[in-house]
Amino acid sequence: MAYDIQVGGYQLGMLDKVEIHSSVELLADTAKITLPAAEYNKALDVEEAIHRGDEVTIRLGYEETGLVTEFRGYLQRIDTDNGDLTLTCEDDLFLFRKPLKDAVLSKVTLSSLLSRIIREIGLSVKVSCTYSWTYSKFVIKSATAFDVLKKVQEECGADIYLKDGVLHLHAPGEHIGKERLYDFRYNIEAADLTYRKAEDKKYLITVRALLPDGKVREFEVGTPGGDKITIKCPSSDEVSMRLRAETELRRRTFDGYDGSIDTWLIPECQAGDSVELHDPDYPHKEGNYFVRSVTTEFSEEGGKRKVQLGFRLS
């Protein structure tokens, strides 16, 4: 096993463990680097050398196969706990933790809202937004650009991420990364999976929006009599409400596995990728799944990933 971790202008020579978490349901990917404090004499020595906002690059792998860049981002904070030093890091969305001016925006589309906050915090980032979503009113008060992105994600249920200088906002599974192949005989260490059928997972999704006159508009999808889920929608146009409802229903109803698989560092896997599962014992359960999240751990005990499956793609 091998690693190369750069924090600011320093390369880490000693390491206890690293944990990297990537999820399409959370705005930012995060990394926690745990250092043996005794090797650095005092926490103060580290805090004088590296600081919040320093760039962080984490490369992990094996000497035989080479290193892979698992994380790029910024140092968010340094913690001392039980004799260890923990460096908490956040991906490029750390740059959105800047305050915005208070404002009340009327009839603003998602694309124009995102472009506005990017300009205000001074980033040269482009926007790729495929949601035809319009806010009748959007209030910014004592908020950062990160707060705005979090509010948008919670209300529209979209995948939001920053990659290669582009802020993406898409419906779940609309943009898929690389395909990863896993076989229960070869590269799955353990599995916590339950196979379910869509007919056993019945939902009635109701999306509600408040109209200017105080009345409530509703849009429903799903199966009457199924588990009821009600979602508040800040936009009252039918296209936005339909998209929000269908997005939530797609996440919950499909024939396939719920759960996660435990794997090693190879193959590489990230949230937003697709996983092709091969099961020689149950061929009818094979399929392609959207990856909801990946937690990668690296320590003297080895390197492993927990891959959380999302909805079935095929």
Side-chain angles (χ1 to χ4, degrees):
M1 293 177 61
Y3 66 89
D4 177 17
I5 300 177
Q6 305 279 341
V7 182
Y10 294 87
Q11 181 182 40
L12 300 186
M14 299 293 293
L15 179 67
D16 188 357
K17 63 180 179 180
V18 176
E19 181 176 308
I20 301 169
H21 185 66
S22 171
S23 172
V24 297
E25 297 175 356
L26 299 175
L27 273 183
D29 294 348
T30 58
K32 287 189 175 182
I33 306 167
T34 303
L35 310 175
E39 299 294 337
Y40 291 89
N41 296 320
K42 298 179 181 179
L44 182 61
D45 295 338
V46 174
E47 292 172 339
E48 288 180 347
I50 58 178
H51 308 88
R52 173 182 168 86
D54 283 348
E55 293 188 16
V56 177
T57 302
I58 301 175
R59 301 173 68 228
L60 307 174
Y62 305 101
E63 292 183 356
E64 295 83 356
T65 58
L67 300 179
V68 173
T69 300
E70 299 277 357
F71 179 86
R72 290 184 186 275
Y74 297 86
L75 179 61
Q76 188 178 22
R77 67 176 188 272
I78 303 174
D79 297 317
T80 304
D81 185 25
N82 297 325
D84 291 329
L85 293 175
T86 302
L87 310 182
T88 299
C89 313
E90 196 170 65
D91 70 7
D92 287 347
L93 282 174
F94 174 83
L95 300 174
F96 279 72
R97 293 188 179 275
K98 297 178 181 178
L100 298 171
K101 296 178 182 178
D102 292 350
V104 178
L105 309 177
S106 299
K107 295 184 179 179
V108 59
T109 64
L110 269 183
S111 294
S112 59
L113 173 63
L114 299 178
S115 297
R116 176 193 176 98
I117 66 171
I118 288 172
R119 287 195 304 269
E120 188 170 337
I121 61 177
L123 294 181
S124 56
V125 172
K126 297 180 180 179
V127 174
S128 175
C129 175
T130 53
Y131 260 53
S132 56
W133 187 287
T134 301
Y135 281 96
S136 55
K137 183 172 74 171
F138 193 94
V139 179
I140 300 174
K141 184 174 179 58
S142 302
T144 66
F146 190 93
D147 294 332
V148 170
L149 293 183
K150 186 176 181 179
K151 176 180 173 64
V152 167
Q153 185 183 50
E154 290 174 348
E155 293 179 340
C156 69
D159 293 344
I160 301 179
Y161 56 94
L162 184 60
K163 185 176 182 180
D164 299 328
V166 179
L167 180 64
H168 292 267
L169 193 150
H170 310 292
E174 180 179 340
H175 281 211
I176 300 174
K178 295 182 179 180
E179 182 177 296
R180 314 296 182 175
L181 177 62
Y182 289 103
D183 191 305
F184 285 90
R185 295 172 299 179
Y186 301 119
N187 59 358
I188 295 178
E189 182 181 15
D192 182 13
L193 297 171
T194 302
Y195 192 85
R196 304 182 188 279
K197 291 185 174 293
E199 62 188 28
D200 299 326
K201 299 184 291 184
K202 297 180 180 179
Y203 295 93
L204 180 64
I205 310 294
T206 302
V207 175
R208 292 179 176 175
L210 183 65
L211 300 175
D213 59 4
K215 295 181 180 179
V216 175
R217 173 178 291 172
E218 292 188 352
F219 184 87
E220 290 185 341
V221 296
T223 305
D227 292 344
K228 295 182 179 181
I229 297 175
T230 301
I231 300 171
K232 293 182 180 180
C233 182
S235 179
S236 59
D237 68 275
E238 184 176 345
V239 173
S240 298
M241 295 180 69
R242 178 188 296 274
L243 183 59
R244 183 67 181 95
E246 292 177 347
T247 295
E248 195 64 33
L249 185 63
R250 186 185 184 194
R251 280 178 167 170
R252 297 173 180 271
T253 56
F254 56 89
D255 289 348
Y257 285 115
D258 279 340
S260 63
I261 56 175
D262 294 341
T263 73
W264 294 279
L265 293 183
I266 297 176
E268 180 188 359
C269 188
Q270 300 176 355
D273 286 347
S274 66
V275 162
E276 181 72 31
L277 284 184
H278 284 187
D279 191 339
D281 296 324
Y282 302 96
H284 67 284
K285 294 185 178 181
E286 295 183 346
N288 190 272
Y289 294 83
F290 186 64
V291 177
R292 283 175 49 199
S293 69
V294 179
T295 300
T296 302
E297 296 182 359
F298 184 92
S299 69
E300 62 180 9
E301 298 179 356
K304 60 182 181 179
R305 303 185 197 275
K306 180 177 287 292
V307 179
Q308 188 76 34
L309 303 183
F311 53 83
R312 187 169 181 170
L313 296 170
S314 62

